[in-house]
Amino acid sequence: MENEKKAQTDAAMSEDQVQELLSKYDKESSYRNLKGFMGWVVTLLAIGFSVYQLYASVFPPPPAQIHRSIHLAFALGLIYLLFPATGKGTRTKVPIIDGLLAIIAVVCSLYWLYNFDALITRIGNFNQTDILVGGIVILLILEATRRVVGIPIVIIATIFLLYALYGNLLPGFLTHRGVSIERLISHMYFTLEGILGTPLSVSATFIFLFLLFGAFLEKTGVGAYFNDLALVVAGRRIGGPAKVAVFSSALQGTISGSSVANVVTSGSFTIPMMKRLGYRSEFAGAVEAASSTGGQIMPPVMGAAAFLMAEFTGVPYWDIAKAAAIPAILYFAGIWIMVHFEAKRIGLRGLTKEEMPDKKDVLKRSYLLLPIIAIIGFLMSGVSPTRAALYGILTTIIVGAFNKETRMSPMDILRALESGARAALAVAAATASAGMIVGVVTLTGVGLKFANGLLAFSGGIILLTLFFTMIASIILGMGTPTTANYIITSTIAAPAIIALGAPTLSAHMFTFYFGIVADITPPVCLAAFAAAGIAKGSPMRTGFNSTKLAIAAFIIPYIFVLSPQLLLIDTTFGDALFVIMTATVGMLGISAGLIGFWMDHMAVWERIWAVAAGLCLIVPGLITDTIGLGSLAIIFALQVMKSRKKKLAVQ
């Protein structure tokens, strides 16, 4: 027993290894570790950022331009102090140039604050100073985004800005009249349709508070509790550690906004367990990568994109969370079932009793889930997301006080305020850059042009349009965080689907899903790369295995565009329940076919038939359900007979 526990400890990653891996694959975690005076400056700025956001959520905030520019000023100032310009930059002190950039970023971002009345009076007739400040802000945002988010979104935003300036030189459907640099800058920074537009507005309200809620939860030990709870629920089952990864990642997804952070946080614990019980490195990494990526589609937070979706579509937030529930359940059901069949195929056991945490102790700590249950309850009762997040933070502090180990001291609260502000930096930078993309779309109409071009290219055939939109969404989503890739994909790709008559929510969910699975789709699959780093396996093989495990995410979006009942659009509760049941059985057939095992090993023709039958069940409809259910019943019977024959032959 002692040897087993020692092996488990040895297999787990140290905190330094976890941080090193996060820094490599997650730009948000590649920050300076500042001490002394500058450390205090950053800490006080971060706490001040959180305190300001809490104040603005409790009391009426200043005008939108001022409120969003203050949010931007805090974010940019902290980014330049915390994040080096290159991977080789110093991690222990702030270079003079970065200190100057931080000051310039704060001063220029607050230009709206001390010039509000003057700027309002000269709208449409801005002077040279206004244009200069606006231009500096654009450049500082792009550089800050490169440091904290990565180069892909900066390239996309830059291409859009250049398109606005020089699109009149392009041939064909993408051409437009052209925009002067003065008009572009004024549109980007002095209207509410660019940098200070809807994306940054959502960052400055809902997203910040939910990230702060997540920081408070982490300080009470909820993240570690998720792992223990997952062990109790799934650890003893066949292939237990892999099912633990699926379950814990689904829970982590309710409070996390990053696929890569999910992978490294829970994967440093689950991947060594999976390997120790016999899973291949690439499969173990793929389970964690697919599960952690799925956390971004798990209600209620959905990687913070749910709040943006509510603003963009006009659909109430809670309706979006409900609509996302069935696809998310099917996604995780698919991974769970595949993990089960893979474990049966290679004969893996679950964890032993000695390897499990104490069940009574875990159940005693179940009160730690109360803040999450409370916040869902608040949202269901019609409380606004902002108020729900505030009440959730208060509930977390109160619930943590139940136990000495989870009780938050004043210092813990300050650390949570700092941690929440740090978590918001990447989102603020990404939404500011994405705001430029949205601004160019409103300025040039490129969204509609792209949609028309996509429709012309596909000949108006809906399946071809969806396929091309899927490819575009995956490419646009590569290397960008959840919030940014949703903004980009929904702005550029969703209009083509809506033009074919699909419900707005279905179109936005379609692009959202494929922007998310870019994290596990080769060749740029950052979540899979991070998981491979922990598992010490091949990154590309891990990516392909992740794609196979996440097959539901490649199928279900097509279904909810063609049959919106899957998103609870124009359907009853009874119909929705029937859809869930048949689709879950369909995922069982698809999973068995892809893994090649059910009750026994499956022949190629059985695998193809099982996948086809599963697809029939996922597509809502009496005829397809009947064909799918009948087919799976026959395959199951054949599998049972094959399994019994083998057992009799052995006897």
Side-chain angles (χ1 to χ4, degrees):
M1 177 177 165
E2 287 182 5
N3 289 337
E4 279 191 9
K5 286 188 175 179
K6 185 178 184 304
Q8 185 172 349
T9 304
D10 291 342
M13 297 177 69
S14 68
E15 283 189 28
D16 289 342
Q17 288 173 315
V18 169
Q19 185 56 46
E20 184 182 346
L21 201 63
L22 270 172
S23 298
K24 184 176 180 181
Y25 293 109
D26 187 26
K27 294 285 288 183
E28 299 174 45
S29 303
S30 185
Y31 50 78
R32 295 183 176 116
N33 185 18
L34 300 174
K35 305 290 185 184
F37 175 73
M38 287 310 300
W40 278 106
V41 169
V42 167
T43 297
L44 291 174
L45 275 174
I47 292 171
F49 192 6
S50 290
V51 169
Y52 168 73
Q53 290 293 153
L54 288 170
Y55 173 84
S57 64
V58 174
F59 301 100
Q65 295 92 331
I66 294 177
H67 175 52
R68 297 171 197 179
S69 64
I70 292 174
H71 178 81
L72 185 63
F74 270 116
L76 291 181
L78 283 166
I79 288 169
Y80 281 107
L81 293 177
L82 277 170
F83 292 86
T86 66
K88 296 179 181 178
T90 176
R91 302 293 169 132
T92 56
K93 63 180 181 179
V94 180
I96 293 175
I97 184 66
D98 281 356
L100 289 173
L101 287 173
I103 293 169
I104 294 169
V106 171
V107 171
C108 290
S109 296
L110 294 178
Y111 192 69
W112 265 106
L113 177 64
Y114 43 81
N115 285 288
F116 180 75
D117 292 335
L119 288 170
I120 290 296
T121 57
R122 60 175 180 260
I123 283 178
N125 189 29
F126 297 106
N127 60 38
Q128 289 300 310
T129 303
D130 299 336
I131 300 301
L132 177 63
V133 170
I136 291 171
V137 169
I138 290 172
L139 293 175
L140 287 171
I141 288 171
L142 291 174
E143 170 58 13
T145 305
R146 184 190 68 80
R147 293 188 183 200
V148 72
V149 179
I151 196 69
I153 185 175
V154 176
I155 292 173
I156 295 170
T158 303
I159 289 171
F160 270 80
L161 291 172
L162 291 173
Y163 171 76
L165 292 172
Y166 304 111
N168 59 316
L169 304 177
L170 292 176
F173 67 92
L174 286 176
T175 190
H176 65 84
R177 288 183 298 175
V179 176
S180 68
I181 192 164
E182 290 81 6
R183 188 182 174 206
L184 178 64
I185 291 172
S186 64
H187 187 79
M188 287 298 117
Y189 192 55
F190 296 109
T191 73
L192 293 179
E193 295 182 3
I195 293 167
L196 302 181
T198 298
L200 192 68
S201 167
V202 176
S203 171
T205 49
F206 312 128
I207 295 177
F208 189 99
L209 289 177
F210 271 84
L211 291 173
L212 194 57
F213 170 64
F216 273 83
L217 280 178
E218 284 296 324
K219 291 299 177 186
T220 58
V222 168
Y225 179 69
F226 282 161
N227 288 334
D228 288 343
L229 180 62
L231 280 168
V232 167
V233 170
R236 297 295 299 275
R237 300 174 185 273
I238 295 171
K243 291 176 180 174
V244 168
V246 177
F247 191 73
S248 64
S249 294
L251 290 173
Q252 290 282 3
T254 61
I255 61 172
S256 172
S258 167
S259 302
V260 175
N262 275 4
V263 166
V264 177
T265 303
S266 56
S268 61
F269 164 74
T270 58
I271 290 174
M273 276 200 305
M274 284 188 263
K275 288 183 66 180
R276 198 169 66 254
L277 286 192
Y279 280 103
R280 291 174 290 111
S281 295
E282 288 80 12
F283 190 83
V287 170
E288 184 58 54
S291 302
S292 293
T293 299
Q296 305 304 289
I297 61 173
M298 173 61 71
V301 178
M302 295 166 61
F307 309 114
L308 285 162
M309 203 176 293
E311 293 293 317
F312 284 3
T313 63
V315 177
Y317 164 81
W318 186 243
D319 288 348
I320 288 172
K322 286 189 294 183
I326 295 177
I329 290 168
L330 292 177
Y331 179 90
F332 281 103
I335 299 175
W336 183 285
I337 295 165
M338 278 197 239
V339 159
H340 179 76
F341 287 152
E342 175 71 7
K344 285 182 69 176
R345 187 179 71 83
I346 58 180
L348 298 184
R349 64 173 176 87
L351 294 171
T352 63
K353 188 176 180 181
E354 290 74 20
E355 294 170 309
M356 296 281 290
D358 184 82
K359 188 175 181 179
K360 288 183 180 178
D361 176 63
V362 173
L363 293 177
K364 276 182 185 176
R365 290 185 288 140
S366 59
Y367 66 87
L368 289 172
L369 296 176
L370 285 174
I372 296 174
I373 296 169
I375 208 166
I376 293 172
F378 291 137
L379 291 168
M380 289 178 66
S381 65
V383 173
S384 71
T386 302
R387 289 289 170 181
L390 278 173
Y391 298 155
I393 292 169
L394 290 173
T395 305
T396 303
I397 296 171
I398 294 167
V399 167
F402 291 170
N403 191 298
K404 186 179 179 181
E405 293 179 3
T406 59
R407 191 173 299 136
M408 297 186 75
S409 66
M411 188 56 69
D412 289 330
I413 291 173
L414 289 175
R415 288 196 188 101
L417 291 171
E418 180 187 4
S419 180
R422 284 175 177 248
L425 298 181
V427 176
T431 50
S433 290
M436 297 185 206
I437 296 169
V438 176
V440 171
V441 170
T442 59
L443 194 59
T444 64
V446 68
L448 188 58
K449 293 173 188 290
F450 187 88
N452 290 336
L454 201 60
L455 288 172
F457 191 59
S458 65
I461 301 169
I462 189 162
L463 284 176
L464 273 180
T465 303
L466 292 176
F467 177 76
F468 293 139
T469 305
M470 175 188 77
I471 300 300
S473 298
I474 290 174
I475 292 171
L476 290 169
M478 285 179 177
T480 56
T482 302
T483 47
N485 76 37
Y486 166 68
I487 294 167
I488 297 166
T489 55
S490 64
T491 303
I492 301 303
I497 303 173
I498 296 170
L500 289 175
T504 300
L505 183 56
S506 295
H508 279 253
M509 279 284 191
F510 185 92
T511 56
F512 170 60
Y513 260 65
F514 285 113
I516 292 298
V517 297
D519 281 346
I520 53 172
T521 306
V524 182
C525 40
L526 293 182
F529 284 3
I534 300 172
K536 295 180 171 53
S538 163
M540 292 307 292
R541 286 181 187 169
T542 303
F544 284 115
N545 273 302
S546 300
T547 303
K548 182 173 76 172
L549 286 170
I551 191 65
F554 291 87
I555 296 170
I556 292 170
Y558 285 88
I559 306 304
F560 59 54
V561 169
L562 300 172
S563 302
Q565 301 98 304
L566 208 60
L567 294 179
L568 303 180
I569 296 173
D570 297 329
T571 189
T572 64
F573 175 77
D575 290 340
L577 189 62
F578 185 74
V579 166
I580 294 173
M581 292 169 62
T582 55
T584 303
V585 176
M587 284 311 305
L588 188 147
I590 291 170
S591 301
L594 289 174
I595 294 297
F597 191 95
W598 194 343
M599 302 303 292
D600 203 315
H601 292 275
M602 301 175 75
V604 173
W605 64 269
E606 286 179 301
R607 296 177 68 172
I608 295 170
W609 192 8
V611 170
L615 288 172
C616 285
L617 280 162
I618 289 177
V619 179
L622 184 60
I623 295 174
T624 53
D625 288 344
T626 303
I627 293 170
L629 207 55
S631 297
L632 285 185
I634 295 169
I635 296 168
F636 180 73
L638 292 171
Q639 282 280 293
V640 169
M641 287 190 288
K642 188 187 289 187
S643 177
R644 284 179 180 172
K645 274 185 182 180
K646 279 193 176 180
K647 287 178 182 177
L648 288 172
V650 171
Q651 292 174 357

